[in-house]
Amino acid sequence: MRPLLLLPASLLLIATGADAQTMSYPPPDTAPIASVQVSAPAKVVRIRPTEARKISGAYDMSNGWNLRVSTTSRYIDATIDDEQPIRLAAVAPYRFVSGDGNVTMEFNRGDGDDMRMSYVPDLRLGQRIVLESRMAQR
């Protein structure tokens, strides 16, 4: 009698196995894969008080311009002659860049009083002007 009970149970297991073989595979994901680019915000570089003392002041540029530099803890304002000030953010010690990247200034070069400024005079031209200066007498 027992063998008769085992036979239907084994047939039932075989039948469920056959059913599993006829199941369809999961459908492929048809949604497009989106790509995301993540960039870290620019590192905030603070201007130390000793650095501010070294770069604040007036500079006589090599082309005859007069440059005045005033500092805060995160940026400098550079005023050439009687023009509007240009705000430059600190990106490294003694290195500053304008928001659009067209003006850069490097201070504390050479013997400590030298400065290099480079700028793009006209965005339509592939040109960058580089001027150097020494700090004027205080």
Side-chain angles (χ1 to χ4, degrees):
M1 187 125 195
R2 281 192 177 169
L4 291 176
L5 287 175
L6 292 176
L7 186 61
S10 62
L11 289 176
L12 184 62
L13 285 174
I14 293 171
T16 56
D19 186 31
Q21 291 176 356
T22 61
M23 289 179 60
S24 61
Y25 291 102
D29 187 6
T30 58
I33 296 175
S35 64
V36 177
Q37 291 182 342
V38 178
S39 59
K43 181 182 173 187
V44 175
V45 177
R46 297 182 82 64
I47 302 171
R48 295 175 306 222
T50 56
E51 182 181 353
R53 281 191 298 276
K54 283 185 178 181
I55 64 176
S56 293
Y59 293 82
D60 292 326
M61 305 298 291
S62 59
N63 64 348
W65 291 347
N66 182 22
L67 172 72
R68 290 180 311 281
V69 175
S70 58
T71 61
T72 69
S73 63
R74 292 192 180 152
Y75 60 85
I76 64 171
D77 283 329
T79 306
I80 300 171
D81 294 333
D82 293 326
E83 299 295 314
Q84 293 292 320
I86 304 167
R87 183 156 288 174
L88 296 106
V91 293
Y94 300 105
R95 184 165 169 76
F96 301 87
V97 177
S98 63
D100 60 4
N102 290 331
V103 180
T104 63
M105 291 187 179
E106 290 182 62
F107 295 87
N108 200 25
R109 300 171 43 84
D111 64 359
D113 288 338
D114 292 346
M115 185 272 295
R116 175 183 287 164
M117 177 176 95
S118 68
Y119 68 97
V120 177
D122 187 346
L123 296 177
R124 297 172 294 174
L125 303 175
Q127 180 181 21
R128 182 169 279 276
I129 308 272
V130 178
L131 300 171
E132 296 197 357
S133 174
R134 290 188 58 80
M135 182 171 272
Q137 293 295 90
R138 294 186 189 214

